Amino acid sequence: MIGGNESCTAGPIPMSYLTCLTYVLGEWTGVEHIEDYLSYAVYLLWVLFPLAVVFLLPGVLVILFYTSILLLHIYKRKNELKEAYSNDVWDGAKQMLATLWDGHGRIWHGYELHGAENIPEGPGLIVFYHGATPADYVYFMARLLIQRKRYCHVVADHFVFRLPGFKLLLDVHGVMHGPKEECVSALKKGYLIAIAPGGVREALFSDEMYTIIWGNRKGFAQVAIDAKVPIIPMFTQNVREGVRTLGGIKILRSLYERIRLPIVPVYGGFPVKLRTFIGEPIPYEPNVTAEELTAKTKAGLQALIEKHQKIPGNIFRALMERFQTQKKDD
């Protein structure tokens, strides 16, 4: 067996493995002084590695989503588990995934949930600010299920239902397409529903200034009025520092408005501190209009942002908040 400093070829001149490999590559490719090119390639790899990491880290969330889907398929095949749950065969699966996601939130972001007592016992419509990814909502949903045994359905954009392999995950968690009639019916049945009126546009094109991008959307307000339920604003601190987008590039905004697909690159995946804050409910009023209720909801959400988020957001500051010994006051 040949050691790292011993000859790898027979002959009067001994060569190390690296020298031997360089020699073989030079002979095979016919390129002279190939070691200079290799040194340059290694230098580029060293320079570009941090940049590659910040674009690859968000992929961890994708892996977690598909891991969740795989676990659901395994759970589905375990028919003997059905008898363990008298109400819903998927209760155990939801608890399992909640534990998975809550563990990720605790470890990677030191995730905290504040103000859960503001969520009513009965139905309600949670309205939240949409970060670049919905990870903070998933952490919230998991923590709520573990701590309070409450499940929250969510309204998702249509493109989510076209993602390959996601059907089972969406069905198990009752993710909704969002027609008003469907939402009103669910609320009248006593469900808790969450919606981000800004949707994909807010996720991709808001920035570290935490600008609320709702446009003229007020359908959620009409849903709350028709169902006669309160609206509960929700905001997650530092959600823009965890994952950011290149939405400031104008051509990407124009492309999205043309094809309506979220093709804007994201980067980050930084382990910043995440805290979700639940605001005070906006009660149902029989005489309020959808426009008035939309304005009240936007003001309530903006108040949460101004109270709990330092603007502009800063990634380094959000990272340092992981080391704070005291929780931020509610």
Side-chain angles (χ1 to χ4, degrees):
M1 186 172 181
I2 301 174
N5 294 321
E6 296 178 342
S7 173
C8 68
T9 60
I13 303 176
M15 290 187 292
S16 68
Y17 279 129
L18 184 59
T19 305
C20 184
L21 179 60
T22 303
Y23 174 79
V24 171
L25 285 175
E27 290 292 317
W28 181 53
T29 60
V31 177
E32 296 182 359
H33 306 294
I34 194 171
E35 62 275 8
D36 294 336
Y37 293 96
L38 291 176
S39 298
Y40 184 65
V42 171
Y43 173 75
L44 282 180
L45 181 63
W46 178 77
V47 170
L48 297 177
F49 179 75
L51 183 62
V53 168
V54 300
F55 280 97
L56 290 175
L57 273 177
V60 173
L61 296 177
V62 178
I63 293 173
L64 279 174
F65 275 118
Y66 278 102
T67 299
S68 301
I69 293 168
L70 176 61
L71 291 174
L72 286 177
H73 280 287
I74 295 173
Y75 185 92
K76 185 178 181 181
R77 298 300 178 185
K78 299 293 183 179
N79 294 324
E80 65 272 14
L81 292 179
K82 292 182 180 180
E83 298 178 359
Y85 305 98
S86 57
N87 295 323
D88 185 351
V89 68
W90 291 111
D91 281 349
K94 292 175 182 177
Q95 290 285 348
M96 175 180 63
L97 296 187
T99 302
L100 171 68
W101 281 94
D102 187 61
H104 183 269
R106 286 176 183 270
I107 294 170
W108 195 245
H109 293 291
Y111 180 75
E112 298 174 10
L113 174 61
H114 298 269
E117 64 278 3
N118 288 328
I119 298 176
E121 292 297 327
L125 185 64
I126 294 176
V127 175
F128 64 98
Y129 172 86
H130 204 313
T133 73
D136 63 308
Y137 168 76
V138 180
Y139 298 146
F140 156 75
M141 180 184 66
R143 185 68 58 85
L144 188 68
L145 182 60
I146 291 171
Q147 290 188 347
R148 299 180 57 118
K149 309 303 179 185
R150 289 291 307 274
Y151 189 77
C152 184
H153 297 260
V154 67
V155 178
D157 193 272
H158 296 297
F159 91 91
V160 175
F161 295 89
R162 299 197 294 268
L163 293 174
F166 266 58
K167 185 178 186 305
L168 180 62
L169 182 67
L170 300 177
D171 290 344
V172 168
H173 287 287
V175 179
M176 307 168 66
H177 283 276
K180 294 180 183 178
E181 297 77 15
E182 181 184 8
C183 294
V184 171
S185 176
L187 288 168
K188 287 184 176 180
K189 291 178 182 177
Y191 292 175
L192 187 64
I193 297 178
I195 185 171
V200 176
R201 186 177 285 105
E202 186 171 80
L204 298 180
F205 304 111
S206 187
D207 53 25
E208 65 273 16
M209 300 304 294
Y210 287 84
T211 306
I212 297 174
I213 304 177
W214 287 3
N216 295 320
R217 293 184 177 180
K218 53 182 181 291
F220 72 93
Q222 190 61 54
V223 166
I225 292 171
D226 293 343
K228 300 179 180 180
V229 299
I231 288 180
I232 307 101
M234 182 175 82
F235 170 72
T236 299
Q237 181 190 52
N238 295 327
V239 67
R240 280 277 158 194
E241 278 56 72
V243 177
R244 288 190 172 177
T245 75
L246 298 181
I249 302 176
K250 291 184 178 180
I251 190 172
L252 293 177
R253 178 68 181 266
S254 300
L255 188 60
Y256 170 78
E257 298 297 347
R258 188 178 294 268
I259 65 175
R260 294 301 176 88
L261 289 176
I263 59 174
V264 176
V266 300
Y267 66 95
F270 305 114
V272 301
K273 184 69 176 181
L274 292 184
R275 297 183 180 97
T276 294
F277 295 93
I278 311 296
E280 294 185 2
I282 301 172
Y284 164 72
E285 298 178 17
N287 297 322
V288 72
T289 65
E291 290 78 7
E292 292 171 341
L293 186 55
T294 298
K296 284 186 177 182
T297 305
K298 189 173 183 179
L301 184 57
Q302 187 65 49
L304 285 178
I305 295 174
E306 292 175 357
K307 181 177 181 180
H308 300 294
Q309 182 64 54
K310 293 182 180 179
I311 296 176
N314 181 279
I315 294 174
F316 180 75
R317 182 177 63 232
L319 288 169
M320 291 300 99
E321 288 178 2
R322 290 294 304 273
F323 302 100
Q324 289 181 348
T325 56
Q326 295 181 348
K327 296 179 180 178
K328 186 177 177 68
D329 295 336
D330 289 351

